[in-house]
Amino acid sequence: QVELVESGGGLVQAGGSLRLSCAAAGRTFSNYHMGWFRQAPGKEREFVAAINWSGGSTYYAGSVKGRFTISRDNAKNTVYLQMSSLKPEDTAVYYCAAREFSVSRLDYEYDYWGQGTQVTVSS
């Protein structure tokens, strides 16, 4: 059981950067694999990045490779998404999610979700 709260979203100009944070409340955060997903208006939720429990393995959607970096600090019960070279098409509500057993790119395999944080990238 883990409760997730995202923060760090906001409005940024194209080419700028933001760092999203996902803070976990509850025990055994380090047992969970974590993912970031996003959903724009009128579009389905899509995978962005994922990281295994130890931080030793990371995965990215092709659209964000080279621009976004997922990381975690288990001592702080927090997972991060560093976003650079932002584009207007990155505009979406960003969600963090947690699951046990293995890291995944599939939203339906995640057990716990935060409420999301809005990222808006202006042209």
Side-chain angles (χ1 to χ4, degrees):
Q1 181 69 43
V2 60
E3 303 291 330
L4 306 174
V5 180
E6 302 96 335
S7 63
L11 190 150
V12 64
Q13 292 183 340
S17 299
L18 284 174
R19 187 178 73 165
L20 306 184
S21 298
C22 177
R27 301 268 59 83
T28 66
F29 170 76
S30 62
N31 290 345
Y32 291 90
H33 310 279
M34 302 294 297
W36 284 97
F37 295 80
R38 66 187 183 187
Q39 187 168 24
K43 300 177 69 176
E44 293 188 351
R45 186 168 55 195
E46 66 175 347
F47 170 77
V48 176
I51 188 166
N52 79 326
W53 72 271
S54 69
S57 299
T58 58
Y59 306 88
Y60 297 94
S63 60
V64 306
K65 282 184 178 180
R67 300 190 299 119
F68 291 11
T69 301
I70 188 171
S71 62
R72 67 190 298 162
D73 187 340
N74 288 344
K76 297 182 178 179
N77 286 3
T78 303
V79 63
Y80 304 96
L81 186 68
Q82 177 67 51
M83 306 185 296
S84 300
S85 301
L86 283 162
K87 305 174 181 179
E89 51 262 44
D90 295 319
T91 295
V93 176
Y94 283 70
Y95 300 89
C96 67
R99 74 182 304 266
E100 297 183 72
F101 306 120
S102 65
V103 68
S104 176
R105 299 171 181 262
L106 306 174
D107 56 359
Y108 63 82
E109 293 192 340
Y110 284 80
D111 302 302
Y112 308 103
W113 293 83
Q115 293 301 305
T117 186
Q118 176 71 47
V119 172
T120 302
V121 184
S122 63
S123 301

